Amino acid sequence: MAGHLRRLAVFLAGRVALLAVLLALVFAAVEFLPGDAARSTVDRGASAADVAARRAELGLDRLLWSRFTDWMTALPTGDLGVTARGEQVSEVIGRHFPNTLLLGGLALVLTMAAALVLGGGAALRPLSWLDRAVSGTSTIVMALPEFVVASVLVLVLALWTGLLPAVTLTGTTGRPASWNMLVLPVLALAVPQIGWNTRIVRASLADEAAAPHVEAATLDGLPPARVLLWHVLPGALPAIAAGAATSAGMLLGGAVVVETIFNYPGLGTVLAGAVRDRDTPLVAGVVAVTGAVILAVLVASDLIRDRTSVRRP
Amino acid sequence: MSLTRRQLFGTGAGVGAGLLLAACGSSPSGAPASATPVPSGSGSVAAGPVRGGVLRVGALGKASSITRDPHGVQVNESDYLILALVHDALTVPGASPNVAPRLASAWEPSDDLKRWRFTIAEGATFHDGTPVTAEDVVWSLRRLRATPAGATRLPGIEAGGIRADGRDAVTLTSAYPNSEVPLLLRLTTFVLKEDTKDVAEAPGTGPFRLESFRNGSARLVRNDSWHGGEVPLDAIEVRMFESPQAMANAMLTGQIDLASNVGAVAARTAEGRDGVQVIRRPDDMAMPIVMRTADGPFADERVRLALRLAVDREAMVRQVLSGYGAVANDVLGTGDPAYAKDIPQRARDLAQAERLLGQAGLDLSQTYELFTTEDIPGLAESATLFATQVREAGLNVKVVKQDPSVFWEKTWLKAPLYTTYWGTNDSVVFFAGKTLGSDAAQNEAGWKDPAFDAAYRKAVGTVDTAERAPFLREMQRIEHERSGYLLWGMADGLDLASPKVHDLPTLPGYGRVQLERAWLAT
């Protein structure tokens, strides 16, 4: 058990180190973009002296390395620094991240539920019309970028038929004003991921179905659904969990596009604006929290893999 | 065309008549009326403003750029809209004259036009009921002056020159005679209570008071004791939109009643659709091409004239602005009542342009770079089309698109040839002081013209409108003839609104935020 924990700790430390390297890269990347936060947060008419003063005010005249180390050393205390407009980064993120987590969480749940049903259904009857239909559509759908899916959804479900609101409006609480505003953004995010995960589910179930113990179960005369749930699925879980973990990252990434199209009040829009403004602490803060979430998902998926693979001989 | 729309969306009873005209299809220009007539049966239209209702307004903004400071740098339309409804500036944009009273009810200059006395409107109070005092105004203006942009927002006026004069008046002392001080106060001179600490939640003096603010969106309710008169709407809900497309979709599906400054692409999509009025605010945005006059290839006056003759203005307006605009005549400030309409419109003359380029001896084997940025829609497109057009006169121009921050740092005010834009087109003198005078801080073309400077000095040093007119005319004549600006056209400001919304602002630029007279037909 102790060995197991130590392995976990080493593994976690590795992942955290990876995140730190990623943050350093983000700092450097924003730095190498042309322009800086001082210029993008003053009036257009501001003189060179004004911009220089602003630069000093924001600490941009200091070396990149010292800014980065300052920011990193404050990070463990939960201090994400101050945005170029003088707000606490943690506050800006706190206002928007719950919305993105809600959007991404719902999309992930929908993705996995749909992928299991579709992939499972297809795996139950290999080479049936259902199997061929699912494989065909999932290939097409996973190749569709989010903005294409989003545009079609808006056109059909909002502008033509008026079934759902075209955009998300923010209520007085800072959350989407009504639940039905979540439907289109969740769908736009989930559809490409459903395509991708359905294929993983279908393939891993098919691989697993060829295993000797499954054949034995089938020969024992167990009903196909029972074989699928109790004998095939457990073995396929590691691959499915890995697929879900990858999707979690893709969903958070896709949020930038989808949130803009649907005017969804999430972190994706904040990130897009922060990059444009060269607001390094805000960009790094967004990367840190989303990175931490993705890290947690990866760890969870690794744990699932660990558990499910030790059980098997 | 624009006149028709002005009538359509003019004030009071005019709206009813205008809509009837449009409904009968007797629009004088014969153009398709962009305003959708109010469905028959809504008898309230002719009766004038109806009290009550909540106007849901969409405005552009970025979540990462939200500012709550009335004196800060407002990049977001949504932020500015909210601030301008909650707080009063001393003056506001007007049609004719181009400056109208707001928190200042009247103003009077000293004989030398250096000292201006502004009287605070009678009965002006903050939302918590306390009356507005001269000290509040002085504190607010000094606070504005102390911001990094203070010098450009209150040009010529130092903090020490802002003084209380009795309980209900303030004097502003300019370093030089300036007839335009009232005009300069119309954008950001929002007044807060003296010594306000939390500017975000501070009570204002405006037609609406802030009820809630969240993530860039706000709910504003009517200020029943507003000094400026009766406000018809019960409330305004401002929703922030990241993209014009999302805002237009919200408008088309009825999630909002007004999409403010939504742009040409959305207007074109909405044109002709039932249930949407397209509101055009002429003279909203100037997108001139700047030719550096101080040095470089365009320092020769003949080269600049050649470029002005090589551009196909109608094509620019049609293609870059989707037709939502008007051809311009190289003079900035087209919305000014004093704009010189009698200067003959410059038209395309390729032969003359080629001749001038030849005379000037410009090296036509070279390729000249035209810098631009995608700051506002259409800007980069204007550069591309312009480059194609001048090629027909033998000049090779290559468009270089820059990131906004690079553009404003490295190109603006410096490059030989670049695009720029201005959203304050209601004053000829404003541009003269800001971009054309020899010592103007933002002299975009590096232009120095003693005759122009002299006319400008006389114009800003004369109070009497009639006496001032010839100087204003002279300035525009010189600007038209030899400045560094190639102003091919003016973009309309474009809003989309539901047919039930009436009396929306039609003024260009910052005039768009004046929603206090808007009302909803029931």
Side-chain angles (χ1 to χ4, degrees):
Chain A
M1 195 65 200
H4 194 74
L5 273 180
R6 214 188 56 210
R7 224 152 37 91
L8 186 69
V10 170
F11 170 75
L12 269 180
R15 288 285 159 98
V16 169
L18 193 68
L19 186 58
V21 172
L22 178 69
L23 287 169
L25 285 175
V26 165
F27 253 78
V30 179
E31 183 75 10
F32 288 126
L33 287 174
D36 66 13
R39 177 40 87 178
S40 49
T41 55
V42 294
D43 267 357
R44 152 184 170 182
S47 66
D50 290 338
V51 178
R54 181 97 186 106
R55 206 158 275 150
E57 200 184 330
L58 292 173
L60 294 176
D61 48 353
R62 288 163 48 220
L63 279 177
L64 176 66
W65 179 246
S66 80
R67 273 186 286 142
F68 176 66
T69 46
D70 280 1
W71 191 82
M72 280 302 273
T73 45
L75 192 58
T77 67
D79 179 6
L80 295 174
V82 179
T83 72
R85 287 191 167 76
E87 249 187 308
Q88 287 295 324
V89 171
S90 52
E91 271 176 37
V92 178
I93 291 176
R95 279 204 303 269
H96 296 89
F97 199 39
N99 290 339
T100 296
L101 280 181
L102 177 68
L103 180 64
L106 287 173
L108 187 62
V109 169
L110 176 66
T111 299
M112 292 326 289
L116 284 172
V117 169
L118 291 172
L124 266 183
R125 290 179 200 79
L127 301 177
S128 67
W129 66 267
L130 178 75
D131 186 24
R132 272 172 295 166
V134 165
S135 310
T137 8
S138 57
T139 315
I140 298 169
V141 157
M142 68 186 259
L144 288 176
E146 284 95 350
F147 79 88
V148 173
V149 179
S151 309
V152 172
L153 287 173
V154 170
L155 197 64
V156 175
L157 294 176
L159 291 172
W160 287 353
T161 58
L163 291 172
L164 288 162
V167 300
T168 311
L169 300 179
T170 312
T172 45
T173 55
R175 305 283 166 257
S178 82
W179 68 268
N180 63 357
M181 292 173 176
L182 279 162
V183 178
L184 291 185
V186 166
L187 277 178
L189 266 181
V191 165
Q193 298 306 319
I194 291 175
W196 153 260
N197 280 287
T198 301
R199 289 190 67 82
I200 293 178
V201 170
R202 167 74 182 81
S204 56
L205 288 178
D207 283 353
E208 198 58 22
H213 75 281
V214 178
E215 268 180 56
T218 318
L219 289 176
D220 283 349
L222 293 174
R226 194 185 150 87
V227 174
L228 183 73
L229 280 181
W230 291 98
H231 300 274
V232 182
L233 194 57
L237 265 185
I240 296 174
T246 314
S247 276
M250 304 284 280
L251 288 171
L252 287 176
V256 178
V257 176
V258 169
E259 288 179 2
T260 306
I261 294 177
F262 291 101
N263 204 49
Y264 189 87
L267 205 53
T269 52
V270 173
L271 179 63
V275 170
R276 191 206 45 204
D277 281 351
R278 316 287 185 252
D279 196 339
T280 314
L282 189 51
V283 175
V286 172
V287 172
V289 296
T290 45
V293 168
I294 293 174
L295 191 102
V297 172
L298 286 177
V299 169
S301 120
D302 283 337
L303 284 178
I304 291 178
R305 225 166 12 182
D306 234 27
R307 280 294 168 88
T308 45
S309 29
V310 274
R311 216 186 281 163
R312 286 198 40 212
Chain B
M1 190 89 163
S2 67
L3 193 70
T4 318
R5 289 199 169 75
R6 268 176 206 273
Q7 285 165 352
L8 272 178
F9 303 105
T11 48
V15 171
L19 286 170
L20 277 176
L21 275 178
C24 301
S26 58
S27 170
S29 60
S34 60
T36 311
V38 172
S40 55
S42 55
S44 54
V45 177
V50 174
R51 199 175 148 94
V54 179
L55 181 71
R56 299 165 302 165
V57 186
L60 294 173
K62 300 268 177 205
S64 57
S65 312
I66 293 170
T67 328
R68 306 287 309 279
D69 187 343
H71 303 138
V73 178
Q74 293 113 20
V75 217
N76 287 346
E77 294 252 341
S78 49
D79 291 338
Y80 185 76
L81 175 61
I82 293 164
L83 291 169
L85 291 168
V86 171
H87 302 280
D88 282 320
L90 286 179
T91 62
V92 288
S96 185
N98 49 3
V99 52
R102 189 56 160 267
L103 191 60
S105 57
W107 44 87
E108 204 185 350
S110 62
D111 288 341
D112 63 357
L113 283 174
K114 281 186 175 172
R115 217 173 55 252
W116 284 81
R117 186 174 191 275
F118 290 85
T119 312
I120 300 167
E122 204 172 317
T125 56
F126 288 99
H127 294 151
D128 61 2
T130 43
V132 180
T133 66
E135 273 71 30
D136 297 325
V137 179
V138 169
W139 182 84
S140 301
L141 292 186
R142 285 187 179 162
R143 184 171 185 274
L144 175 67
R145 185 66 183 76
T147 63
T152 52
R153 286 173 175 179
L154 293 173
I157 297 162
E158 297 292 333
I162 304 167
R163 292 236 174 83
D165 183 359
R167 214 186 133 62
D168 63 348
V170 174
T171 56
L172 302 185
T173 308
S174 168
Y176 45 85
N178 191 350
S179 63
E180 298 300 302
V181 168
L183 184 89
L184 296 170
L185 299 182
R186 78 204 184 290
L187 302 178
T188 51
T189 53
F190 298 123
V191 172
L192 284 74
K193 251 195 236 186
E194 190 177 4
D195 294 330
T196 297
K197 294 282 179 293
D198 181 8
V199 291
E201 305 294 333
T205 61
F208 291 87
R209 86 191 138 70
L210 188 69
E211 191 179 81
S212 65
F213 182 97
R214 193 75 203 198
N215 287 5
S217 297
R219 186 180 156 87
L220 313 162
V221 292
R222 175 176 53 225
N223 170 14
D224 281 307
S225 50
W226 188 47
H227 63 90
E230 181 107 346
V231 179
L233 292 168
D234 284 342
I236 292 182
E237 287 177 3
V238 179
R239 310 291 200 172
M240 189 182 80
F241 284 86
E242 292 274 336
S243 81
Q245 190 54 55
M247 188 154 87
N249 285 343
M251 175 65 222
L252 295 177
T253 55
Q255 288 180 278
I256 53 174
D257 308 306
L258 169 64
S260 178
N261 219 17
V262 69
V265 177
R268 198 173 46 205
T269 324
E271 193 85 55
R273 270 180 101 112
D274 281 348
V276 187
Q277 351 172 13
V278 177
I279 293 149
R280 295 172 66 156
R281 289 177 285 102
D283 300 310
D284 185 61
M285 183 75 77
M287 300 195 272
I289 288 163
V290 177
M291 304 170 284
R292 187 162 177 81
T293 66
D295 44 51
F298 307 102
D300 190 319
E301 210 177 300
R302 291 169 296 186
V303 177
R304 299 203 297 275
L305 182 57
L307 261 60
R308 289 198 189 103
L309 290 169
V311 67
D312 183 346
R313 293 160 201 256
E314 280 86 10
M316 292 286 272
V317 170
R318 202 168 53 237
Q319 292 179 40
V320 175
L321 307 176
S322 299
Y324 293 111
V327 162
N329 203 18
D330 303 318
V331 174
L332 294 151
T334 48
D336 194 328
Y339 177 73
K341 295 181 187 70
D342 58 330
I343 298 177
Q345 173 65 49
R346 195 167 271 143
R348 196 176 201 206
D349 186 344
L350 280 177
Q352 176 70 2
E354 273 178 72
R355 210 159 29 243
L356 283 164
L357 288 176
Q359 281 172 16
L362 191 73
D363 181 1
L364 292 177
S365 63
Q366 257 205 52
T367 297
Y368 299 90
E369 287 181 315
L370 168 57
F371 295 94
T372 187
T373 175
E374 281 169 332
D375 247 21
I376 58 156
L379 199 61
E381 289 85 344
S382 78
T384 310
L385 185 57
F386 174 76
T388 322
Q389 291 177 352
V390 292
R391 213 160 288 148
E392 290 172 42
L395 188 71
N396 291 314
V397 171
K398 190 181 104 194
V399 175
V400 181
K401 261 187 228 169
Q402 287 179 323
D403 195 88
S405 48
V406 181
F407 180 85
W408 296 109
E409 181 85 35
K410 307 250 185 286
T411 299
W412 188 54
L413 304 178
K414 300 180 184 94
L417 192 65
Y418 62 95
T419 62
T420 186
Y421 63 88
W422 287 95
T424 317
N425 301 300
D426 50 3
S427 167
V428 165
V429 171
F430 174 84
F431 283 105
K434 204 145 188 131
T435 71
L436 289 158
S438 296
D439 48 4
Q442 301 170 25
N443 195 325
E444 295 183 310
W447 193 49
K448 291 191 189 334
D449 192 293
F452 180 86
D453 290 346
Y456 169 61
R457 268 195 304 273
K458 281 180 197 146
V460 293
T462 313
V463 204
D464 187 85
T465 321
E467 278 177 49
R468 206 158 67 140
F471 306 126
L472 285 170
R473 171 88 179 44
E474 175 69 0
M475 282 162 57
Q476 296 178 66
R477 192 192 61 74
I478 300 171
E479 189 182 338
H480 176 258
E481 190 183 291
R482 52 180 187 256
S483 84
Y485 284 100
L486 187 163
L487 182 61
W488 49 269
M490 295 298 302
D492 292 341
L494 288 157
D495 308 322
L496 300 182
S498 124
K500 63 180 182 184
V501 192
H502 298 278
D503 285 359
L504 286 168
T506 53
L507 287 174
Y510 287 108
R512 65 178 174 264
V513 299
Q514 293 174 275
L515 295 176
E516 62 276 357
R517 301 281 171 242
W519 55 280
L520 292 164
T522 41

